[in-house]
Amino acid sequence: MTATWRTTQKANRRTAYLRVAAALFAERGFSGVSVDELSAAAGVSGPAFYNHFSGKDEILVELLVSASERLVSGAEQILKEGGEPEAVLDRLIAFHLDFALTEPDVIRIQDRELAALPPAANHRVRSLQRTYVEWWSGVLAKLRPEFDAAEREVRLLGAFGLLNSTPFSARGMRSASRAASILSAMALAAILGEAPRATGAPSIRPTLR
């Protein structure tokens, strides 16, 4: 029982470090935060930090690698669930938007600090990101077969930029759900573009053949 309690407490402290570090790194940048400041913000002594992490680099690695792994894992689950391509794309957008709303600090850190990762971790994150884009691209190819791979990538990266802007763009709105709805619609339009005009009225959804 004691060993289990100690393990749980250690895990809780590690999680607290990660949460505090994400907030500080997002606010002041990775290089602008010291180990002592991390420890103080987490409410523990400086030396205790090294019971959980070898240094700041390890925290940054865990934050960014974990974020990419969670995104890939979530997308993989959505693809396994299957369904019509339109519904799959809707779920992918909702999933990514939920991540951006839930992890705004991590989104900001990923945008600014990816280059600060050690080479192996940087390679891991970029590999996961490529997988993530490729899975979305496979869905988009079914919806808009006229788009080549390069156009699909441009559209998807632009949509990710919209969804990842949530920590900034949603701040001015009283309703987070309203901001999410707007960004979701904008991302969908960016991904699909204007569908063929069967009735003379533009639509952001394609007509499947």
Side-chain angles (χ1 to χ4, degrees):
M1 182 66 71
T2 301
T4 301
W5 181 86
R6 287 177 179 172
T7 300
T8 301
Q9 290 300 102
K10 187 173 182 178
N12 288 343
R13 284 193 292 270
R14 186 178 180 89
T15 300
Y17 264 121
L18 290 169
R19 186 172 60 252
V20 167
L24 289 177
F25 291 167
E27 179 184 358
R28 293 157 51 186
F30 174 70
S31 62
V33 180
S34 70
V35 168
D36 286 342
E37 288 168 329
L38 283 173
S39 298
V44 297
S45 64
F49 171 90
Y50 295 101
N51 292 329
H52 306 280
F53 300 97
S54 61
K56 281 198 312 175
D57 285 353
E58 187 180 350
I59 288 185
L60 186 63
V61 167
E62 185 157 342
L63 285 171
L64 296 189
V65 172
S66 172
S68 292
E69 288 175 344
R70 282 182 286 160
L71 285 169
V72 167
S73 177
E76 181 179 25
Q77 181 59 41
I78 290 169
L79 294 179
K80 285 181 178 179
E81 291 169 359
E84 292 297 318
E86 301 102 318
V88 173
L89 181 58
D90 284 341
R91 296 202 303 273
L92 285 171
I93 290 173
F95 163 71
H96 191 108
L97 187 55
D98 181 67
F99 183 90
L101 287 167
T102 304
E103 301 283 359
D105 291 334
V106 174
I107 290 291
R108 293 173 66 187
I109 295 167
Q110 183 170 265
D111 184 52
R112 295 187 318 209
E113 307 291 354
L114 185 58
L117 286 175
N122 188 295
H123 177 77
R124 171 66 173 162
V125 169
R126 292 187 184 279
S127 176
L128 289 165
Q129 289 177 338
R130 284 194 298 272
T131 297
Y132 191 65
V133 173
E134 287 168 4
W135 285 351
W136 282 64
S137 184
V139 176
L140 179 54
K142 296 176 183 177
L143 290 167
R144 297 303 297 263
E146 67 271 28
F147 294 165
D148 62 20
E151 180 169 353
R152 292 197 301 271
E153 181 172 337
V154 169
R155 287 179 175 276
L156 289 170
L157 293 180
F160 295 156
L162 281 168
L163 296 173
N164 290 345
S165 74
T166 304
F168 311 99
S169 56
R171 287 185 300 186
M173 298 197 72
R174 295 181 179 178
S175 169
S177 62
R178 174 60 176 155
S181 177
I182 292 171
L183 288 170
S184 178
M186 291 174 65
L188 187 62
I191 291 170
L192 295 180
E194 185 176 316
R197 300 187 181 186
T199 63
S203 170
I204 61 173
R205 285 206 175 278
T207 300
L208 296 179
R209 297 175 178 85

